[in-house]
Amino acid sequence: MQRRGFALLPLALAVLAVAEVAVFLTVVHALGGGWALLLLAVFTVAGMALLRREGIRGWRAFQAAAVEGRPPGPQVSNSLAGLGGALLLAVPGFITSVAGLFLLVPPGRILARRGIERFAERRVDPLVAGDLFGPRRVKVRRGEPVTVVVPEQTPVAAPTAAIEGEVIEGEVLR
């Protein structure tokens, strides 16, 4: 499935290029060629300046979290969202600039950060995700008590140990 996404990447980039040209021509028609080029240049220069700032800010937040013993995942995902926004802003084009601005404002950054965290949690072991992003919030439902029989880990046949207690079912919310 992942390879299919990469196979469609050249097609997606070609569609984006055509859309960028169409939007650029629309802006040229509305504002004039000089103003459209100036606006494009301002977006690109601002994106390049923000790339450096977001990178330094993300690295410092990561270091502070590591020194304080906090999970660095939220700082890393927030920094990745900011770097992605700055990179999109630096790429010449109005569509990418609007997408980059969306990732730089707080509501867009929060959505992107949550998406990055969900993506990382699906790709890594749950214990690693817990170390990266801290403890997860769970929704708990009380279940009926059950008896769990756990065989001992000896090579010789031995009696089994029983663990009794209340079972709590749950699902991870965040």
Side-chain angles (χ1 to χ4, degrees), residues 16-159:
L16 177 64
V18 169
E20 286 284 9
V21 169
V23 170
F24 180 74
L25 291 176
T26 303
V27 172
V28 166
H29 183 68
L31 299 178
W35 288 109
L37 286 174
L38 180 66
L39 193 57
L40 212 56
V42 166
F43 282 147
T44 302
V45 169
M48 288 183 185
L50 284 173
L51 268 172
R52 183 172 189 268
R53 187 192 80 162
E54 290 293 328
I56 291 171
R57 177 195 269 171
W59 179 247
R60 286 183 181 155
F62 173 78
Q63 284 181 326
V67 166
E68 294 172 9
R70 292 182 288 123
Q75 283 76 19
V76 170
S77 57
N78 191 33
S79 176
L80 283 175
L83 282 170
L87 183 63
L88 286 173
L89 196 60
V91 172
F94 289 109
I95 296 173
T96 55
S97 294
V98 168
L101 286 173
F102 176 73
L103 289 177
L104 290 172
V105 297
R109 188 177 281 214
I110 290 169
L111 286 173
R113 187 186 76 221
R114 288 183 182 157
I116 292 167
E117 287 177 5
R118 274 188 248 117
F119 178 79
E121 288 171 349
R122 282 193 310 265
R123 298 282 188 230
V124 299
D125 185 70
L127 295 174
V128 174
D131 287 343
L132 281 175
F133 301 111
R136 308 281 87 193
R137 292 179 38 208
V138 296
K139 185 190 319 181
V140 177
R141 294 183 304 270
R142 294 213 176 254
E144 296 188 22
V146 297
T147 302
V148 178
V149 179
V150 179
E152 293 187 21
Q153 301 295 325
T154 57
V156 187

